Amino acid sequence: MPSQRIQQHITDSARQLAQWAPGLGEPIACATQTLLECVTNAGKVLTCGGGPAAALAQYAAALLMGGLTRERPALPALALGAEAATFAALAQHSEGLGALAAQTRALGQPGDTLLVLLPPACPDSASLALAVQAAHEREMPVIALTGQTPEADALAVLLQAPDTHIAIAHAGAASVLHAQLVALHCICEGLDDMLLGQE
C-alpha cells in the first residue's frame, strides 16, 4: 500500500471518530458508571464478542484486570469463550450457539455485568443474543457495543433498563472494530479516573 494511501486511511479513520464522538460520549459514560458500580460492589465483568471482536473481548478483560496506563489493583474480569476446552465441551451440547449463554449462567451472578461486542457481519450474533438473555436471567446489566447492522438491531431489541448500548453508526467491520477499541480505551481510562482520581 502506498504511503499516501496509508495516510489517507488514517485521516479518514480519525475523521469518522470525530463525527461519532458527540453521540458516543453519553453511552460510554453510562457504561463506565455501570462498571464502576459493578466492581465496587464486589461484582465481576464477563466479556464476550463475535468473530474478530472475540479478541477485543479478551483484550477488554485484560484491560479491566491490569488497567490501561495506571497502576491499580486488578479488577475481576473474565473473557467468555477464551478457554478452548471448556468452550468446546459446552458447544458440544448446544450446537455451539448456547456456549456463551451457558458460561454466563454458570459464572454470572446478580450484580455482575456482561460486556458484549458485536461486529458487522458477525456469524455469532445468535450466540451473543443468547448470552444477553442469560445475563438478564441472572439479573446482570449488559453493555453492548455494536455497529449499524440488522444483527445489531436484533440485539438492541433485547436490551432493557439498565443496559447500555454503544452503537457505532457504521456497517463496515474495520471502522466499527476500530471505534469499539477506542470506546474500550475510553471506558477503562474513565474507570481508572473514577477509582484513582484524575491525574
Side-chain angles (χ1 to χ4, degrees):
M1 181 183 290
S3 173
Q4 186 175 2
R5 186 176 173 191
I6 293 170
Q7 292 176 31
Q8 186 62 50
H9 179 75
I10 294 171
T11 301
D12 290 345
S13 181
R15 186 180 298 114
Q16 278 185 331
L17 287 173
Q19 290 173 350
W20 295 331
L24 294 178
E26 184 175 345
I28 289 175
C30 288
T32 306
Q33 183 64 37
T34 295
L35 292 179
L36 177 70
E37 292 173 5
C38 172
V39 299
T40 56
N41 288 289
K44 61 184 174 295
V45 183
L46 304 180
T47 69
C48 61
L56 275 184
Q58 293 182 41
Y59 179 59
L63 286 178
L64 291 167
M65 288 281 285
L68 183 58
T69 59
R70 303 171 66 182
E71 287 190 20
R72 59 156 169 74
L75 302 177
L78 177 67
L80 304 179
E83 204 281 299
T86 300
F87 193 73
L90 291 170
Q92 181 179 3
H93 299 290
S94 60
E95 298 181 353
L97 286 179
L100 292 174
Q103 284 188 298
T104 302
R105 289 189 189 95
L107 300 172
Q109 299 292 332
D112 293 344
T113 298
L114 179 69
L115 186 139
V116 177
L117 295 116
L118 175 66
C122 176
D124 307 319
S125 59
S127 179
L128 295 176
L130 290 173
V132 168
Q133 293 173 329
H136 289 155
E137 292 171 13
R138 287 297 195 188
E139 300 179 15
M140 298 166 54
V142 175
I143 299 170
L145 290 85
T146 75
Q148 195 173 55
T149 64
E151 294 83 7
D153 292 342
L155 187 69
V157 170
L158 300 176
L159 301 179
Q160 56 194 34
D163 297 339
T164 303
H165 188 195
I166 302 173
I168 312 301
H170 204 278
S175 295
V176 170
L177 287 166
H178 181 213
Q180 288 177 339
L181 176 62
V182 173
L184 289 175
H185 285 165
C186 290
I187 289 169
C188 289
E189 186 170 346
L191 190 57
D192 285 353
D193 285 347
M194 289 178 172
L195 291 169
L196 303 174
Q198 295 188 357
E199 291 183 314

